[in-house]
Amino acid sequence: SYAPGAQADLQITTDASSLRLQVFYFSSQALRRGRDFKTSGTAMTSPIRIDWRNHRDAPSRLRVVRAGDWPSGLYFLRLSASDGRVGYAPFVVRRVTPHSRIAVVLSTNTWQAYNFWDANGDGWGDSWYVSDATRSIDLTRPFLDFGVPFRFRAWDLDFIAWLNRTGKRVDFLSDDDLDAFPGGDELAAAYDLVVFPGHAEYVTEHAYDVVERYRDRGGNLMFLSANNFFWKVRRHGKLLTKVVLWRNAGRPEASLAGVQFVAGDYGGRQGAYVVHGSSWAFTGTGLADGDRFGHYGFEIDARSAASPPGTQVLASIPNLMGSRSAEMTYYETPAGAKVFAAGALNFTAS
């Protein structure tokens, strides 16, 4: 991520003799002016042509990004070659001083964990999803799908588009930005609500401490996907290393989110939530006790013995994966924190 006015170095590897560079702001698909098709973005700069003839035989760096007075959000730098090849470099514009009392944390650690880029050339993607022998990933790798993070369309795109389409202004943070807060007190001073829209699976110990302290100070949390705060990871420079499941480290994720991962089947079975009771959460939706809505699954969460006292089930998908049910939950703390968890991986994508 970059603050307004900050500069960034882009590393480019291509045998193209020239390139066109242009920055796009990811915005609602309803905005058509200057829209970039692949990222549904709005052009923030004019195309800039770069002569690349002297750099075709090796990777080279180019200082190209200078974020102006742009909204906090997700941006893409698009590189186009004359023969039609296109690549993207995503980046987040953050605010040095918060402009909103709501922060949305994009799960950039998870983006890279699911990045199957083969940097060492052995024919296999450099990810622990490819081989258990891989314990560390390089956070500086380009993303395999022309630079668009894996499953970005499923985990993040619709939610960010909805924010833009409805005119909601929030501060966007990367996982690194969250990790950069000294503590939960500072996060609470900056934001009333922190939203995790995507698959926030990989969390450092410091980030866990920050969010837990934030909650204990009365900060509100929304987990709009599933399988959050699942793995403890450690950052070593540009490397992110998988360490241990948080529940096996004595800090089960249900103690923070209210629910934790119980099953997954890659979308083989999906089902509708069934509303439990007449909760205020469904006021104005037309939904009543026993009504069904949506079509969800992939990975699901449920309460555990570690869930905070008084955790309520707002809705559930009964026995979706064998005897495992997805649970949408809510709880409050004595300090006034309000914590919502959707309980299904593709909830945000609706």
Side-chain angles (χ1 to χ4, degrees), residues 38 145 148-158 349:
K38 192 173 181 68
D145 185 19
V148 179
F150 182 66
R151 289 185 178 171
F152 167 76
R153 296 168 185 81
W155 291 337
D156 307 275
L157 185 149
D158 284 341

Side-chain angles (χ1 to χ4, degrees), residues 60-107:
S60 296
R61 290 188 178 275
L62 188 66
R63 183 158 292 171
V64 294
V65 177
R66 185 174 181 82
D69 189 19
W70 297 344
S72 178
L74 180 65
Y75 292 77
F76 283 85
L77 180 69
R78 186 179 72 182
L79 297 86
S80 306
S82 58
D83 60 6
R85 285 179 290 172
V86 179
Y88 296 85
F91 64 97
V92 174
V93 171
R94 68 177 186 272
R95 293 294 185 184
V96 176
T97 302
H99 282 210
S100 170
R101 295 296 300 175
I102 299 172
V104 170
V105 182
L106 298 178
S107 299

Side-chain angles (χ1 to χ4, degrees), residues 26 28-29 152-165 197 346-350:
F26 178 77
S28 168
Q29 297 182 29
F152 167 76
R153 296 168 185 81
W155 291 337
D156 307 275
L157 185 149
D158 284 341
F159 182 71
I160 299 173
W162 174 77
L163 288 174
N164 291 322
R165 188 167 60 249
N346 60 334
F347 181 79
T348 313
S350 67

Side-chain angles (χ1 to χ4, degrees), residues 153-292:
R153 296 168 185 81
W155 291 337
D156 307 275
L157 185 149
D158 284 341
F159 182 71
I160 299 173
W162 174 77
L163 288 174
N164 291 322
R165 188 167 60 249
T166 54
K168 293 176 174 59
R169 288 301 179 194
V170 302
D171 285 357
F172 282 85
L173 304 176
S174 67
D175 278 329
D176 286 345
D177 296 328
L178 180 64
D179 218 357
F181 275 86
D185 293 350
E186 289 79 4
L187 187 62
Y191 300 110
D192 299 322
L193 170 65
V194 177
V195 182
F196 296 89
H199 189 19
E201 185 173 0
Y202 300 99
V203 184
T204 67
E205 183 172 15
H206 179 70
Y208 199 125
D209 291 344
V210 167
V211 175
E212 188 175 60
R213 172 63 178 170
Y214 170 81
R215 188 274 315 266
D216 293 345
R217 283 287 312 273
N220 304 306
L221 297 168
M222 294 185 79
F223 297 92
L224 298 181
S225 186
N227 197 358
N228 298 290
F229 284 52
F230 188 51
W231 278 97
K232 178 180 178 179
V233 292
R234 186 175 295 120
R235 179 77 182 265
H236 305 274
K238 67 178 185 178
L239 296 181
L240 191 72
T241 301
K242 189 167 67 167
V243 180
V244 67
L245 293 176
W246 275 112
R247 64 185 71 174
N248 292 343
R251 300 179 70 178
E253 60 271 32
S255 65
L256 178 65
V259 290
Q260 62 188 36
F261 175 73
V262 292
D265 68 353
Y266 300 97
R269 287 163 291 183
Q270 299 183 63
Y273 272 110
V274 180
V275 175
H276 286 227
S278 54
S279 170
W280 58 267
F282 298 103
T283 299
T285 65
L287 294 169
D289 184 27
D291 285 349
R292 296 174 177 271

Side-chain angles (χ1 to χ4, degrees), residues 29-157:
Q29 297 182 29
L31 298 178
R32 300 186 180 278
R33 176 184 56 82
R35 191 182 68 176
D36 174 43
F37 176 76
K38 192 173 181 68
T39 61
S40 297
T42 300
M44 301 298 289
T45 67
S46 299
I48 300 172
R49 185 183 180 278
I50 304 294
D51 187 339
W52 205 249
R53 287 174 295 180
N54 294 331
H55 305 283
R56 299 174 68 187
D57 59 348
S60 296
R61 290 188 178 275
L62 188 66
R63 183 158 292 171
V64 294
V65 177
R66 185 174 181 82
D69 189 19
W70 297 344
S72 178
L74 180 65
Y75 292 77
F76 283 85
L77 180 69
R78 186 179 72 182
L79 297 86
S80 306
S82 58
D83 60 6
R85 285 179 290 172
V86 179
Y88 296 85
F91 64 97
V92 174
V93 171
R94 68 177 186 272
R95 293 294 185 184
V96 176
T97 302
H99 282 210
S100 170
R101 295 296 300 175
I102 299 172
V104 170
V105 182
L106 298 178
S107 299
T108 49
N109 286 344
T110 305
W111 288 1
Q112 279 289 11
Y114 278 94
N115 184 4
F116 303 133
W117 182 274
D118 178 20
N120 61 14
D122 65 356
W124 299 94
D126 300 336
S127 167
W128 46 65
Y129 285 98
V130 174
S131 170
D132 289 338
T134 300
R135 300 296 298 182
S136 298
I137 54 174
D138 184 348
L139 296 173
T140 66
R141 294 176 298 162
F143 292 101
L144 189 61
D145 185 19
F146 305 102
V148 179
F150 182 66
R151 289 185 178 171
F152 167 76
R153 296 168 185 81
W155 291 337
D156 307 275
L157 185 149

